Amino acid sequence: MAEAQKKKDIPHIDIYRAWCKACGICVAFCPTETLARDEGGYPYVKYPEKCINCGWCEIRCPDFAITVEGKKNGKKVRDQFEKESPEKGTAAPGQ
Amino acid sequence: MAEITRLIHEYLRHDKKFPHVWCPGCGIGIMLGSLIRAIDKTGYSKDDIVLVSGIGCTGRLPVYVDFNTLHTTHGRALTFATGIKLAKPRLKVIVIMGDGDAVAIGGNHFIHAARRNIDITAIIVNNSVYGMTGGQYSPTTPYGMKSTTTPYSNVEHAFNISELAVTAGAVFVGRGTVFHAKLLDSLMEKAFAKVGFSVVEIISHCHTQFGRLNRMGTAVEMMQWQRDHSVTVEKAAQMKTEELKDKFKIGVLVDRELPAYQDEYEKVRRWAKGTEKR
Ligand SMILES: Cc1ncc(C[n+]2csc(CCOP(=O)(O)OP(=O)(O)O)c2C)c(N)n1
Ligand code: SF4
Ligand code: SF4
Ligand code: SF4
Ligand SMILES: [Mg+2]
């Protein structure tokens, strides 16, 4: 019971690969080493149970590509965003 | 915490190309997050906010956000912003500039906007270099550092943007770094609440130009540099000059009251019309 309770409290971390540029900032400054980088340099959640939901990865991500939330808080940001905006990206850079 | 990103999405222009144009790990994206959160806190509607920028990597920022936005010419953002503020004083006018934009080509506009104390917030991303055009030195490139136009070493001395703003008359001046993103939120909130010329200088990194030429490493390493070379104003007050030698101060550097230009100008109007006696 205590185990199950604990699992439920683990924050949910979502990495939005389409926007992530593998800069490594979220991983480098995570105070608990919850995150790690794969061979391509992209972040992944290595130890979900270590996350303390401090939110620093989300605040420092320059590309708004990682989100953290307490499990109970419901919907994932990415789902919501994709629903609202099925087509992203028409304008060319460097106008 | 995911509500932070949810909030950001409310302000992004989803018809623009994302991920945005900035290099992987560039501090401008971090600062954009702070800017959106701080504007949201002001309670202004999107239509009451005007973001004005010049040209540069930093100058591209307004393209991505759903406010009234003007992407003007290099160095002239403050002049356009001055016009907007005088024509429509009820609008909240925020100017986004790079260090080159603000204190090289736009240096004169910067000091005089501060001297006039017009109610505009100037947000300056200081990455010590001309990022967009290929890493040329700027007036904030420190002495002894390399750039593409100072390949041996920069022999000039750098402007301290915040001190310049204080001396020129800004009523609020704060400095932060992109490493200290939460501090940036609070500095911007305070700047937006201030009536008069307010400045937030943001120490950021251009690891692909300035960092590469000076062997300062990745975006992560340059953010570690920001962490290790900054001290809060409060802590600095307890430290000896010697200990502060290779450090810069972050926090609120100045917060004072002075009559703001658009209000003074309104008075002049009334005197001239004769509706009020001088
Ligand atoms: C009148 C004019 N002069 C020069 C340029 C070329 N130019 C474009 S951006 C830039 C400097 C950008 O540096 P900064 O303002 O620090 O912005 P950053 O790219 O570093 O964010 C220059 C010189 C221009 N676009 N217009
Ligand atoms: S919320 Fe904090 S502890 Fe959790 S992954 Fe992000 S930075 Fe690490
Ligand atoms: S900070 Fe953002 S862009 Fe950088 S690696 Fe992490 S999720 Fe990707
Ligand atoms: S060139 Fe420098 S300032 Fe411009 S986006 Fe790349 S890292 Fe950022
Ligand atoms: Mg610059």
Side-chain angles (χ1 to χ4, degrees):
Chain A
M1 176 61 206
E3 251 326 90
Q5 184 63 40
K6 220 174 136 203
K7 194 142 194 200
K8 214 176 123 213
D9 289 344
I10 295 172
H12 179 80
I13 302 168
D14 194 33
I15 296 160
Y16 186 36
R17 273 293 276 257
W19 284 22
C20 172
K21 293 176 185 162
C23 70
I25 290 173
C26 55
V27 179
F29 297 114
C30 170
T32 60
E33 293 172 1
T34 298
L35 306 168
R37 298 176 84 173
D38 66 16
E39 323 77 64
Y42 286 91
Y44 69 95
V45 185
K46 192 171 181 188
Y47 303 113
E49 68 285 356
K50 286 192 178 182
C51 178
I52 53 169
N53 197 13
C54 68
W56 271 112
C57 52
E58 186 169 349
I59 286 181
R60 289 207 182 97
C61 172
D63 282 276
F64 315 119
I66 184 165
T67 62
V68 192
E69 66 187 325
K71 259 242 163 103
K72 288 155 279 176
N73 288 356
K75 264 209 257 161
K76 284 194 248 170
V77 170
R78 184 175 69 181
D79 296 347
Q80 189 185 333
F81 169 52
E82 281 180 342
K83 204 161 65 212
E84 280 164 9
S85 153
E87 262 185 318
K88 301 179 296 292
T90 45
Q95 50 178 44
Chain B
M1 286 310 251
E3 61 271 21
I4 295 173
T5 306
R6 195 170 293 137
L7 178 81
I8 282 165
H9 281 295
E10 277 177 31
Y11 289 92
L12 293 182
R13 285 179 172 151
H14 287 140
D15 59 337
K16 297 292 170 186
K17 191 171 186 294
F18 281 98
H20 51 54
V21 72
W22 299 306
C23 303
C26 178
I28 301 171
I30 305 177
M31 167 273 181
L32 172 59
S34 288
L35 178 77
I36 290 174
R37 292 188 296 271
I39 291 179
D40 184 72
K41 278 268 178 68
T42 63
Y44 278 92
S45 80
K46 288 179 185 174
D47 291 341
D48 291 335
I49 302 278
V50 189
L51 279 198
V52 188
S53 76
I55 299 292
C57 293
T58 307
R60 266 200 79 75
L61 183 145
V63 169
Y64 294 112
V65 274
D66 190 22
F67 302 108
N68 298 294
T69 57
L70 269 83
H71 194 178
T72 74
T73 54
H74 191 40
R76 311 294 176 227
L78 279 167
T79 65
F80 287 84
T82 298
I84 295 163
K85 188 68 196 178
L86 288 181
K88 294 247 183 266
R90 68 168 184 87
L91 296 176
K92 189 79 197 158
V93 183
I94 301 166
V95 175
I96 313 286
M97 296 178 282
D99 45 298
D101 235 355
V103 298
I105 188 169
N108 214 32
H109 301 308
F110 181 64
I111 54 175
H112 291 290
R115 181 184 59 77
R116 274 181 177 152
N117 194 31
I118 185 156
D119 186 24
I120 289 172
T121 299
I123 296 187
I124 303 168
V125 175
N126 182 1
N127 55 15
S128 310
V129 80
Y130 289 177
M132 175 166 266
T133 44
Q136 296 85 355
Y137 85 111
S138 90
T140 60
T141 305
Y143 175 85
M145 299 303 272
K146 287 183 181 166
S147 72
T148 50
T149 41
T150 55
Y152 299 101
S153 178
N154 180 22
V155 294
E156 298 177 17
H157 304 282
F159 266 145
N160 180 322
I161 294 180
S162 290
E163 282 178 16
L164 184 64
V166 172
T167 309
V171 285
F172 179 91
V173 181
R175 187 197 283 125
T177 81
V178 291
F179 173 82
H180 301 90
K182 288 185 190 174
L183 172 68
L184 287 188
D185 289 31
S186 87
L187 291 175
M188 288 189 206
E189 280 168 37
K190 286 178 183 142
F192 298 151
K194 195 81 191 170
V195 178
F197 194 69
S198 53
V199 176
V200 181
E201 179 188 6
I202 297 162
I203 306 298
S204 187
H205 50 274
C206 175
H207 50 301
T208 58
Q209 309 282 357
F210 188 76
R212 180 176 50 84
L213 293 162
N214 291 290
R215 301 182 187 283
M216 291 178 78
T218 59
V220 165
E221 285 165 286
M222 290 188 81
M223 286 173 74
Q224 286 163 342
W225 183 92
Q226 292 161 19
R227 177 192 65 199
D228 299 339
H229 290 80
S230 51
V231 270
T232 60
V233 172
E234 295 75 22
K235 194 162 172 225
Q238 319 285 326
M239 289 165 72
K240 296 192 191 81
T241 322
E242 191 53 29
E243 299 171 304
L244 288 167
K245 230 177 67 192
D246 63 342
K247 302 274 196 286
F248 59 89
K249 289 183 206 169
I250 53 172
V252 177
L253 304 176
V254 144
D255 189 353
R256 59 188 165 197
E257 305 298 328
L258 278 175
Y261 182 72
Q262 70 288 342
D263 302 334
E264 294 299 297
Y265 199 82
E266 197 46 48
K267 272 198 234 162
V268 176
R269 273 202 178 124
R270 291 199 296 270
W271 295 334
K273 282 187 198 152
T275 54
E276 191 179 299
K277 269 233 168 99
R278 171 79 179 89

